[in-house]
């Protein structure tokens, strides 16, 4: 089966579980193929956890879920060494972070100390415990969900943590037709038990390498740099994008191009992932009267296409 057919089969299976959210599902798949991490911000009950389960199962990846709470400690996430008398020494017991897909559920309900325990894991794909560095399984994909900041008992993620997420998306409420399917159809959790893994670990890593090989032309890179420069101009945002954010945006656009069946990046690919990739990294200038996503879209309209 060709890569495009495999990817379409993945999308089709995910869309049977997450009804009426084809754009969000495509963004999630693009994020995984680009080797990034995903932040889903929305109110409880719209399918964030179900989407994470469906992604892990469809891609055939080892899955682990952690419910973040105010009393969660870093050792609960990473693991701890325990002295075992029979072995006459300390034995490391790995935590749930040692999985290929980690669902950090309601990440902003944990303290900043516990949130920061994920920084090394997300950036370096490894963790250091008691002076010893341990590699995480490959691929390693973090899906974090968070509730809106105005809800009680939440701690806003710092900028350094937000920057580790390739994309931030919002699922949103279903439309009337999709909600009717949910109300009259099978329970989504039960459907998860019947999903089939459609990729092997080797096939996934091969597709991720194909993403990196997608061609970005010189005019396309000029357009990308124009967008990055606009974020740094002081007209739209307090601070602009970092070079790491620019590289992340390019990887996401390449993944979108591959999902569309092309081996080159088009401006449409950049525009389709732009708000999801950069809005959570930026703060609009005072008096703009727009949220970050709306400000990104306004900026994109002002930057001419190549």
């Amino acid at each position: 089966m060709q890569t495009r057919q495999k990817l379409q089969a993945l999308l089709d299976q995910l869309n049977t579980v997450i009804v009426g959210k084809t754009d969000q599902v495509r963004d999630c798949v693009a994020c995984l193929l680009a080797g990034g991490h995903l932040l889903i911000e929305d109110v409880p009950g719209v399918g964030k956890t179900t989407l994470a389960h469906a992604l892990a199962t469809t891609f055939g990846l080892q899955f682990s879920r952690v419910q973040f709470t105010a009393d969660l400690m870093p050792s609960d996430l990473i693991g701890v060494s325990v002295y075992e008398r029979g072995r006459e020494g300390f034995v490391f017991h790995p935590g749930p972070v040692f999985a290929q897909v980690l669902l950090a559920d309601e990440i902003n309900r944990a303290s900043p100390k516990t949130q920061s325990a994920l920084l090394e894991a997300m950036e370096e794909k490894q963790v250091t415990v008691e002076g010893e560095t341990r590699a995480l399984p490959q691929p390693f994909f973090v899906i974090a969900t968070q509730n809106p900041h105005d809800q009680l008992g939440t701690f806003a993620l710092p900028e350094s943590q937000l920057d580790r997420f390739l994309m931030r998306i919002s699922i949103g409420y279903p439309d009337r037709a999709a909600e009717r399917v949910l109300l009259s159809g099978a329970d989504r959790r039960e459907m998860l038990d019947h999903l089939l893994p459609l990729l092997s670990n080797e096939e996934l890593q091969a597709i991720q390498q194909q993403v990196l090989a997608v061609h970005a032309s010189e005019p396309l890179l000029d357009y990308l740099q124009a967008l990055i420069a606009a974020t740094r101009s002081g007209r739209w945002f307090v601070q602009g994008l970092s070079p790491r954010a620019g590289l992340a945006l390019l990887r996401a656009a390449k993944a979108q191009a591959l999902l569309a069946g092309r081996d080159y990046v088009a401006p449409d690919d950049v525009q389709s992932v732009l708000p999801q990739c950069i809005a959570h990294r930026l703060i609009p200038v005072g008096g703009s009267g727009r949220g970050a996503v709306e400000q990104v879209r306004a900026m994109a309209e002002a930057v001419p296409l190549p």
Side-chain angles (χ1 to χ4, degrees):
M1 187 184 295
Q2 298 299 319
T3 298
R4 185 173 185 181
Q5 294 172 311
K6 290 180 181 178
L7 294 176
Q8 189 59 52
L10 290 166
L11 293 171
D12 291 343
Q13 177 163 291
L14 289 168
N15 284 321
T16 62
V17 180
I18 309 299
V19 183
K21 299 294 178 181
T22 55
D23 291 340
Q24 289 87 339
V25 167
R26 179 176 287 267
D27 286 338
C28 293
V29 173
C31 186
L32 176 53
L33 296 181
H37 303 291
L38 178 68
L39 179 63
I40 306 176
E41 183 180 78
D42 221 320
V43 297
V46 294
K48 302 187 295 291
T49 304
T50 303
L51 175 57
H53 275 278
L55 275 169
T57 303
T58 299
F59 278 89
L61 299 174
Q62 178 192 0
F63 179 77
S64 179
R65 177 182 181 273
V66 179
Q67 180 65 49
F68 278 59
T69 57
D71 60 350
L72 187 75
M73 299 298 292
S75 58
D76 298 327
L77 184 65
I78 295 174
V80 64
S81 293
V82 178
Y83 183 80
E84 294 187 3
R85 183 171 299 176
R87 300 188 183 185
E88 296 184 349
F90 286 90
V91 177
F92 179 70
H93 293 261
V97 74
F98 286 87
Q100 292 175 311
V101 175
L102 172 66
L103 172 59
D105 216 355
E106 297 186 306
I107 189 173
N108 60 337
R109 290 200 180 277
S111 66
K113 181 178 181 179
T114 303
Q115 292 175 7
S116 64
L118 274 176
L119 283 175
E120 182 186 11
M122 295 173 67
E123 186 65 22
E124 307 294 339
K125 310 296 173 64
Q126 64 184 28
V127 294
T128 303
V129 184
E130 298 172 357
E132 184 175 349
T133 300
R134 294 175 170 85
L136 294 170
Q138 294 298 323
F140 178 66
F141 182 47
V142 174
I143 304 175
T145 70
Q146 72 170 0
N147 299 318
H149 297 312
D150 55 357
Q151 293 198 352
L152 295 176
T154 59
F155 301 87
L157 296 179
E159 289 81 359
S160 59
Q161 185 91 40
L162 287 171
D163 196 48
R164 263 63 177 188
F165 289 101
L166 177 66
M167 287 188 186
R168 180 185 66 180
I169 68 167
S170 175
I171 297 178
Y173 295 116
D175 59 26
R176 188 176 180 87
E179 191 157 36
R180 178 57 65 92
V181 172
L182 294 174
L183 292 172
S184 59
D187 185 88
R188 301 294 115 176
R189 300 296 180 119
E190 293 180 0
M191 292 180 67
L192 293 174
D193 297 332
H194 302 289
L195 295 182
L196 297 174
L198 301 181
L199 282 183
S200 67
N201 197 40
E202 293 74 19
E203 287 174 324
L204 172 56
Q205 294 191 51
I207 293 176
Q208 288 179 327
Q209 290 302 312
Q210 289 183 44
V211 169
L212 298 178
V214 171
H215 178 65
S217 66
E218 292 299 322
L220 189 282
L221 293 178
D222 290 340
Y223 177 56
L224 190 65
Q225 285 192 289
L227 290 169
I228 296 171
T231 67
R232 301 170 181 169
S233 66
R235 175 186 172 188
W236 304 97
F237 301 101
V238 176
Q239 290 180 320
L241 292 176
S242 67
R244 176 167 57 191
L247 291 169
L249 176 58
L250 179 59
R251 288 204 322 273
K254 286 183 174 183
Q256 283 283 8
L258 190 67
L259 285 171
R262 286 182 277 102
D263 60 358
Y264 64 91
V265 184
D268 287 348
D269 299 316
V270 177
Q271 292 177 342
S272 68
V273 298
L274 189 64
Q276 301 92 301
C277 285
I278 72 173
H280 61 289
R281 295 177 162 96
L282 299 170
I283 301 174
V285 295
S288 65
R290 302 187 186 98
V293 172
E294 291 75 19
Q295 188 79 330
V296 168
R297 288 174 176 154
M299 181 200 74
E301 291 179 359
V303 175
L305 287 169

